[in-house]
Amino acid sequence: MSLNEPRTPPAAGGGSGGPGGSTARTSTQNRLRSVSLRNRVGLLAAFGVGIIVVLISLAAYITVRVSLLDQVDANLLDRARAAAAGPLAEQGFLARVPSEALGAADIRIALLNANDRFISASDHDGNPIAPPLGAPERAVARGEVPESVRTAAMGGQSYRVVAVPAGRGPGWALVLGQSRAGTEDLLSRLGFVLFLVGAGGVAAAAYAGVAVARTGLRPVERLTAGAEHVARTGELRPIPVQGDDELARLAHAFNSMLSALAAARARERRLIADAGHELRTPLTSLRTNLDLLAQSEARPGLSREDRFALLADVRAQMAELSVLVGDLVELSREDPPATAHAPVDLADVVAGAAERVRRRAPAVRFDVETQPWTVFGDSQALERAVTNLLDNAAKWSPPNAAVTVRLRDGVLTVADQGPGIAEADAPHVFERFYRSTEARTMPGSGLGLAIVKQAADRHGGTVSVGRGQHGGTLMTLVLPGMNAPAQAPPVNPPPQTSPPVDHPRRNR
């Protein structure tokens, strides 16, 4: 096509940056994603080994080719020098020698002078058999260069031609040419052998890669089968693990996840079962009282005082039910509620909780001493936790007994004068719905101390149970304070003491 001819614009989408190129790349990526991981590993191994085999074969071919050509050149030069020093360098002798007498059918020899005249052997028909002659050979004949080596073509064949000065007179060069057919044939066979070796290496690498991928991915297949079994049947059954490599660690992590899921499911079932059991009693009592009230409306038979007592009982049961539902909602949350955290003075929280519990338990004295301690957290959760601790101490304290409350350096202790907690019950008092044998006859749902532990965990603290100095129960709540120097508690602050208050005895 000439420069003046108009060029045809490419078809739309035919370029690599057009929609067609993008679609082709997307199709290629989709095909690659559809290939299994095992086959991808095998293809990757075959590709990597293939590149290495190709590089090694190419390096071997080039090395052998260079070495063989160097050897051929050195052999030709030696033969040319030997011929130049012998009778073949004589003009009359070379013209009378037939080509068969030169010792090889692929050898051509000639004497070339500086005037482009040459003498060579002849064939049976008398035709001269001369090698390719050119400027490099004439330069040797003129004495410009000591020797020459080159590749030349003549009669459809390739020759390796060397020229050296003839030893019988100045101005002459002996030119020796050898056909490269044998050398090229040897190199072709070498290239074919290297190709077969490379192809076999690539095939063996692909097979080995697939085998290694099959062996290495067998734990992944078991893990996949285990996950599919869990998704299909819901059975949280761990899979067997062998070895200690990365895949074994993945399987252990999967089994740990299954164990955590099974434990969460067990807690959920236990929570539902315990909640149903705890809700059944107040609901049954509430329904009974409402039935009695309904019957009294249909057939008057209850006195005014009895009806007021039933209504008070209903209100109390509704309040108990509301508290129980609130506790269940609070404990059912796996994550803390989205509340705003802020600096909270724990001393104020303890004082407010003690005041509320005094009103609910007037027969118990509260001896409260606190020091300022700032906690970063949820004031409502902390207040509920402290209130539960004080309610628990008041519930187990006999009339006119004292509950000692101390807050020093972030450690809140609540000690009562009750019977204490048995050693067998101590590890379980912070579990949901756990109630000891003695506590089953007393009001409560077994959720108060569980809420205390939940609040302590969410604020980075701890709660523990022990025995006090007077034989009662000692609850200890430890909460970390804020790190800001301005919020740190002062050194030796004066205690805020609330004097013990005596209340008249009340039957519980």
Side-chain angles (χ1 to χ4, degrees):
M1 182 172 61
S2 65
L3 295 177
N4 296 327
E5 294 178 355
R7 297 187 178 181
T8 304
S16 60
S22 177
T23 304
R25 287 194 299 270
T26 304
S27 177
T28 302
Q29 292 175 356
N30 292 335
R31 285 196 298 269
L32 289 176
R33 292 192 186 100
S34 63
V35 179
S36 64
L37 180 59
R38 180 188 306 171
N39 293 334
R40 275 185 282 174
V41 172
L43 291 176
L44 182 61
F47 179 77
V49 174
I51 293 295
I52 296 175
V53 169
V54 167
L55 292 178
I56 293 176
S57 299
L58 185 61
Y61 180 81
I62 294 175
T63 302
V64 172
R65 178 185 175 87
V66 172
S67 300
L68 184 60
L69 292 179
D70 290 344
Q71 184 178 1
V72 170
D73 292 343
N75 187 26
L76 279 178
L77 285 173
D78 291 340
R79 294 171 68 177
R81 294 189 187 101
L88 290 177
E90 298 180 1
Q91 303 174 12
F93 183 81
L94 181 61
R96 296 188 301 268
V97 175
S99 60
E100 292 82 357
L102 297 177
D106 60 345
I107 292 296
R108 293 187 177 215
I109 189 169
L111 286 173
L112 177 67
N113 67 359
N115 297 324
D116 292 340
R117 190 172 65 89
F118 70 91
I119 302 173
S120 66
S122 302
D123 57 10
H124 295 289
D125 299 330
N127 298 321
I129 304 176
L133 301 175
E137 290 77 23
R138 289 193 292 271
V140 175
R142 289 193 295 266
E144 297 175 357
V145 293
E147 59 186 24
S148 68
V149 180
R150 70 185 180 102
T151 299
M154 187 180 68
Q157 293 186 3
S158 178
Y159 287 88
R160 194 67 172 168
V161 182
V162 297
V164 296
R168 294 297 181 179
W172 289 86
L174 188 142
V175 183
L176 194 66
Q178 182 178 2
S179 175
R180 295 186 58 187
T183 304
E184 295 294 338
D185 181 65
L186 178 61
L187 292 176
S188 299
R189 284 183 289 174
L190 176 63
F192 181 72
V193 171
L194 291 177
F195 174 77
L196 292 181
V197 172
V202 172
Y207 178 79
V210 172
V212 170
R214 182 184 298 110
T215 303
L217 295 177
R218 189 170 292 120
V220 178
E221 293 178 355
R222 289 199 302 266
L223 188 63
T224 304
E228 292 175 348
H229 177 77
V230 171
R232 184 175 60 256
T233 63
E235 297 179 2
L236 304 179
R237 183 177 59 190
I239 63 174
V241 182
Q242 297 177 355
D244 55 354
D245 54 1
E246 290 79 1
L247 294 177
R249 291 176 55 192
L250 177 61
H252 282 298
F254 182 77
N255 288 338
S256 299
M257 182 187 66
L258 290 181
S259 300
L261 186 58
R265 181 179 294 181
R267 289 195 303 268
E268 180 182 357
R269 290 175 178 173
R270 188 170 63 249
L271 178 63
I272 294 174
D274 293 341
H277 176 74
E278 293 294 334
L279 290 172
R280 188 178 297 113
T281 300
L283 287 175
T284 302
S285 178
L286 187 62
R287 184 176 58 186
T288 302
N289 291 332
L290 291 176
D291 289 341
L292 290 176
L293 288 175
Q295 292 175 7
S296 67
E297 292 293 333
R299 292 179 298 177
L302 291 178
S303 63
R304 181 186 179 92
E305 291 77 10
D306 293 337
R307 292 179 61 187
F308 285 160
L310 283 176
L311 289 174
D313 195 10
V314 168
R315 292 192 185 95
Q317 290 165 358
M318 290 295 296
E320 180 182 355
L321 191 60
S322 299
V323 173
L324 179 59
V325 171
D327 292 343
L328 287 174
V329 172
E330 180 70 20
L331 289 175
S332 63
R333 293 193 180 108
E334 293 293 338
D335 298 327
T339 56
H341 286 66
V344 179
D345 190 353
L346 192 58
D348 295 339
V349 172
V350 173
E355 188 63 29
R356 280 190 299 275
V357 177
R358 280 195 185 100
R359 291 194 295 267
R360 292 200 290 261
V364 179
R365 295 181 295 110
F366 287 89
D367 183 9
V368 182
E369 292 184 4
T370 60
Q371 293 178 352
W373 184 258
T374 303
V375 178
F376 188 79
D378 181 9
S379 60
Q380 294 182 356
L382 294 173
E383 188 172 356
R384 188 170 189 178
V386 175
T387 301
N388 288 349
L389 287 177
L390 298 181
D391 277 335
N392 183 76
K395 181 173 67 175
W396 290 99
S397 297
N400 294 326
V403 174
T404 304
V405 182
R406 297 290 185 269
L407 174 62
R408 292 188 176 89
D409 298 330
V411 179
L412 174 65
T413 58
V414 179
D416 59 43
Q417 296 180 0
I421 297 178
E423 294 182 1
D425 297 328
H428 308 286
V429 294
F430 297 107
E431 297 178 2
R432 299 172 182 175
F433 295 107
Y434 180 80
R435 303 185 71 184
S436 62
T437 305
E438 296 80 3
R440 292 173 185 173
T441 59
M442 303 183 68
S445 61
L447 297 176
L449 294 182
I451 293 177
V452 174
K453 186 177 186 305
Q454 185 182 67
D457 293 339
R458 290 178 178 176
H459 288 81
T462 59
V463 61
S464 58
V465 61
R467 185 169 292 275
Q469 296 180 354
H470 301 287
T473 302
L474 175 64
M475 293 287 181
T476 303
L477 176 63
V478 181
L479 295 174
M482 294 184 62
N483 296 326
Q487 300 293 340
V491 180
N492 297 327
Q496 300 177 2
T497 304
S498 176
V501 179
D502 294 334
H503 296 278
R505 182 188 179 110
R506 188 182 75 169
N507 295 328
R508 295 173 56 85

